[in-house]
């Protein structure tokens, strides 16, 4: 136990990556986080990935409230606990952006990724240094030196994992592994196409390889993704152009793939994934697209193709159960996520990581925070709770 009863945690001022409005320049600002209340913890962030969903919130593709702290894919260490919390200070954790309430209709039927309590894309919490109410991406706002979240939004992991890899367990990797294993249930020997090779698509690809898929076709608009895709486990790389369906059929005895995964988040790529799937196959939409980007499919085609079209929210996973399994695999070397990490930057350089993501460069860019040295640590304390 951490002894929070004897040392009440204070509210803190930390540095965070903030978007002041849709399309506004991203800036590092000081923000005030409340002291952890009952059932809450403060986590000092050690690494946070830059995911396309953060970019989509910042640029208006997804609805968001501002000012907004970006980030939802992170790892860190419990630094303070509120009353009634059992986790000890010092526990390494991964953040969970869909913490299950375990009481709603969806949780009770075993679908915690659809928990009724976690539907808001941005959650109000804390304030900017100039006193404006702040919002947090997916209830976390993890591109910051610290977060204050419910205890159920953190998952303990073993100590000593490489932080830039452990961070990815909280979104891209859990999503990828879950989309393949839980949603699509890819079986050994099946064929797979992955459209969109960012951190999420490459995680899907690597998971398909681990699941025993034998034909793994990686698709992107950027030729520069070829080497990354092959390193992550693709058997072939194809450019997303007019010849795509033909090229896919040439590699699947004329049928199309058993499973297509859409990892871009656009109607056009959902249509492309649909077209390159075989009759009776399945399209799994992993990308998170815009509300008004409409997908049009022919009524006869839907009937005749006998395809399944479904989405995979957070990999249809129970993060509390599945993140520890992935973390253990990372700890014993059975899982190596090195290929997914294109590079690390400090918090001050986080806006440049967003620029790279927007240009489609690399796999995942991860912001690492040197909390131990205090350089990126908590910079100010404000009163008690
Ligand atoms: N066809 C194929 N690939 C495309 C296309 C297209 N028309 N348009 C873009 N891409 C590729 C980009 O070149 C890039 O490699 O899709 C990839 C997207 O990668 P990232 O921007 O790194 O996105 P990522 O973080 O992987 O997220 C992908 O999943 O979680 C959701 O909101 C997220 O919708 C986003 C998706
Ligand atoms: Zn994400």
């Amino acid at each position: 136990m951490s002894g929070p009863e004897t040392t009440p945690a204070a509210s803190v001022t930390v540095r965070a990556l903030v978007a002041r409005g849709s399309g506004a320049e991203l800036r590092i600002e000081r923000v005030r986080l409340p002291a952890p209340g009952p059932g809450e913890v403060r986590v000092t962030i050690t690494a946070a990935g830059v995911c396309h969903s953060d970019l989509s919130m910042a640029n208006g593709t997804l609805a968001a409230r501002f000012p907004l702290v970006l980030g939802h894919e992170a790892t860190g260490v419990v630094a303070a606990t509120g009353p009634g919390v059992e986790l000890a200070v010092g526990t390494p954790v991964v953040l969970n952006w869909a913490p299950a309430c375990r009481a709603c209709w969806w949780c009770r039927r075993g679908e915690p990724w659809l928990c009724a309590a976690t539907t808001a894309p941005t959650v109000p919490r804390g304030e900017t240094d100039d006193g404006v109410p702040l919002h947090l991406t997916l209830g976390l706002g993890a591109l910051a030196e610290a977060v204050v979240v419910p205890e159920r939004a953190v998952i303990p992991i073993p100590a000593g994992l490489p932080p830039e890899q452990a961070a990815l367990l909280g979104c891209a990797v859990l999503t990828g592994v879950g989309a393949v294993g839980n949603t699509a249930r890819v079986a050994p020997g099946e064929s797979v196409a992955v459209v969109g090779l960012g951190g999420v698509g490459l995680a899907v690809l690597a998971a398909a390889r681990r699941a025993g898929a034998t034909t793994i076709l990686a698709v992107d608009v950027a030729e520069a993704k070829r080497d990354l895709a092959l390193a992550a486990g693709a058997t072939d790389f194809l450019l997303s152009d007019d010849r795509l369906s033909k090229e896919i059929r040439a590699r699947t005895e004329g049928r199309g793939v058993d499973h297509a995964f859409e990892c871009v988040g656009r109607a056009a790529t959902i249509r492309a994934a649909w077209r390159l799937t075989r009759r009776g196959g399945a399209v799994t939409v992993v990308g998170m697209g815009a509300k008004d980007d409409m997908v049009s499919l022919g009524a006869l085609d839907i009937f005749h193709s006998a395809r399944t079209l479904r989405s995979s929210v957070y990999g249809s996973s129970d993060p509390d159960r599945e993140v520890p399994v992935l973390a253990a695999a990372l700890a014993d070397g059975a899982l190596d996520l090195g290929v997914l990490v294109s590079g690390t930057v400090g918090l001050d350089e986080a806006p440049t990581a967003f620029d790279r993501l927007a240009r489609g460069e690399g796999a995942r860019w991860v912001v690492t925070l040197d909390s131990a040295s205090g350089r990126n640590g908590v910079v100010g304390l404000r009163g008690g709770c």
Side-chain angles (χ1 to χ4, degrees):
M1 295 288 285
S2 59
E5 295 79 11
T6 51
T7 318
S11 65
V12 293
T13 300
V14 299
R15 297 166 71 240
L17 184 66
V18 175
R20 282 276 176 164
S22 182
E25 191 183 341
L26 305 182
R27 285 206 310 249
I28 308 298
E29 292 194 25
R30 289 178 181 225
V31 303
R32 295 176 197 153
L33 303 176
E40 291 182 336
V41 296
R42 188 173 75 234
V43 176
T44 301
I45 301 298
T46 49
V50 176
C51 175
H52 206 104
S53 305
D54 297 307
L55 180 62
S56 297
M57 300 241 188
N59 69 17
T61 303
L62 298 174
R65 310 275 312 271
F66 299 96
L68 177 68
V69 182
L70 299 166
H72 62 275
E73 178 182 80
T75 186
V77 178
V78 175
T81 57
V85 168
E86 294 194 358
L87 267 183
V89 166
T91 306
V93 295
V94 161
L95 302 188
N96 174 357
W97 57 254
C101 74
R102 306 285 172 199
C104 75
W105 187 86
W106 284 270
C107 282
R108 281 187 280 113
R109 62 173 268 129
E111 297 178 354
W113 57 93
L114 302 179
C115 175
T118 55
T119 51
T122 59
V123 174
R125 194 91 220 257
E127 59 184 30
T128 64
D129 213 21
D130 49 357
V132 180
L134 197 60
H135 301 268
L136 307 178
T137 299
L138 295 173
L140 298 178
L143 280 162
E145 289 167 330
V147 297
V148 175
V149 295
E151 183 181 20
R152 62 190 168 81
V154 304
I155 304 163
I157 57 167
L161 299 184
E164 70 283 3
Q165 295 190 28
L168 307 192
L169 299 180
C171 188
V173 171
L174 183 61
T175 298
V177 169
V180 167
N182 300 332
T183 316
R185 296 178 188 269
V186 172
E190 286 192 313
S191 56
V192 165
V194 181
V195 182
L197 305 172
V200 173
L202 290 167
V204 167
L205 216 155
R209 184 77 183 216
R210 287 166 69 85
T214 41
T215 302
I216 306 172
L217 307 174
V219 180
D220 203 285
V221 279
E223 173 67 31
K225 299 280 176 161
R226 178 186 294 271
D227 291 348
L228 272 173
L230 297 176
T235 53
D236 217 338
F237 170 88
L238 300 167
L239 271 179
S240 182
D241 59 20
D242 300 347
R243 298 192 311 276
L244 181 60
S245 286
K246 216 170 132 206
E247 296 288 337
I248 295 270
R249 278 180 172 70
R251 288 160 177 78
T252 51
E253 297 168 347
R255 289 189 299 271
V257 290
D258 298 314
H259 296 277
F261 292 88
E262 196 278 349
C263 304
V264 181
R266 290 178 47 190
T269 36
I270 293 172
R271 284 263 311 151
W274 175 265
R275 278 197 303 270
L276 50 83
T277 306
R278 70 164 168 85
R279 278 187 88 188
V283 179
T284 304
V285 176
V286 186
M288 218 195 302
K291 192 162 73 171
D292 57 357
D293 191 12
M294 309 307 284
V295 184
S296 153
L297 299 171
L300 180 59
D301 188 19
I302 290 173
F303 172 80
H304 182 256
S305 72
R307 295 179 183 119
T308 305
L309 174 65
R310 63 196 155 198
S311 81
S312 181
V313 174
Y314 218 173
S316 312
S317 72
D318 183 342
D320 289 330
R321 191 168 49 77
E322 296 175 48
V323 167
V325 175
L326 293 168
L330 200 52
D332 70 18
L335 184 66
D336 181 0
L337 303 176
V339 67
L340 295 185
V341 180
S342 292
T344 59
V345 296
L347 186 59
D348 289 320
E349 289 81 52
T352 64
F354 275 78
D355 294 340
R356 287 171 176 152
L357 180 78
R359 290 197 298 266
E361 284 176 27
R364 212 30 142 219
W365 299 95
V366 182
V367 174
T368 51
L369 295 105
D370 187 10
S371 310
S373 73
R375 191 170 63 82
N376 275 321
V378 170
V379 294
L381 292 171
R382 259 165 59 95
C385 38

